Amino acid sequence: MEREYSFRPSIYLRVVRIMLAIMGISAILLTLIPWYAGHLENKALIEAEHGYQVESLHEAEKAVTYNPFSINALFVLAGAQQRIGRSEQARMTLVRATGLQPMNYIVWEQLALYERDKWGQPELAREHFEKAVSLNPRDNFLKKSAGIPVDDKS
């Protein structure tokens, strides 16, 4: 006795619709995650302005958790770590940012500013300022920050 299989398109159609709905919801959530991470960054900065440094650190950590490839989130986290006296963690956070975007002059500039202004390491800061200037040679403000003479004719 041979079995007869019947094709039931309504079940397959329902499965396809459910899968499309799940994909749509996933796409919406993926677009909201960077926005939420930015919201957490702003919240961390506001907490810091009001003197709530530990709360600021927690919000910054959450921002990095939601968007681990955002250098802005890492900058906010490094600032929060520095404000509560965790200088070595702040350094590691900024070094992580340079690893994420090594061709972005801003990460090298931020690292150099912390080294010069917060950690008293002018030699290391000079090296990182030079890296930043090499990546953005037309930025006269950056050159002034780095202590490099600027030709005012340009």
Side-chain angles (χ1 to χ4, degrees):
M1 184 162 167
E2 209 172 294
R3 285 191 180 182
E4 207 173 292
Y5 293 103
S6 65
F7 180 69
R8 297 186 60 188
S10 62
I11 291 175
Y12 295 108
L13 212 52
R14 287 182 196 161
V15 169
V16 168
R17 285 181 184 157
I18 291 171
M19 293 301 289
L20 287 174
I22 290 170
M23 288 172 49
I25 291 169
S26 298
I28 290 169
L29 289 175
L30 287 174
T31 58
L32 290 177
I33 288 173
W35 173 85
Y36 185 63
H39 167 73
L40 291 171
E41 291 169 27
N42 290 334
K43 191 173 177 187
L45 293 172
I46 291 169
E47 295 284 354
E49 282 180 7
H50 291 120
Y52 303 113
Q53 302 308 327
V54 174
E55 290 83 355
S56 173
L57 176 66
H58 293 306
E59 295 300 325
E61 287 171 339
K62 283 194 265 184
V64 171
T65 300
Y66 278 99
N67 197 356
F69 300 112
S70 168
I71 60 170
N72 289 333
L74 291 172
F75 292 161
V76 172
L77 178 59
Q81 290 166 332
Q82 179 65 33
R83 283 189 298 277
I84 64 168
R86 296 181 180 173
S87 297
E88 192 55 39
Q89 287 181 354
R91 171 184 301 288
M92 291 183 339
T93 300
L94 291 172
V95 168
R96 179 176 165 196
T98 63
L100 283 175
Q101 295 187 17
M103 300 306 289
N104 186 340
Y105 78 95
I106 295 172
V107 295
W108 295 103
E109 179 186 22
Q110 284 297 311
L111 181 58
L113 287 170
Y114 272 80
E115 289 167 341
R116 184 190 68 193
D117 300 340
K118 306 279 187 199
W119 304 325
Q121 298 173 324
E123 302 301 320
L124 216 59
R126 187 174 308 115
E127 181 182 322
H128 292 136
F129 269 126
E130 288 173 1
K131 175 75 173 172
V133 169
S134 74
L135 293 170
N136 190 16
R138 295 180 183 233
D139 188 341
N140 287 337
F141 183 75
L142 176 60
K143 288 179 182 177
K144 286 179 184 177
S145 293
I148 297 172
V150 177
D151 182 19
D152 290 330
K153 296 177 187 173
S154 51

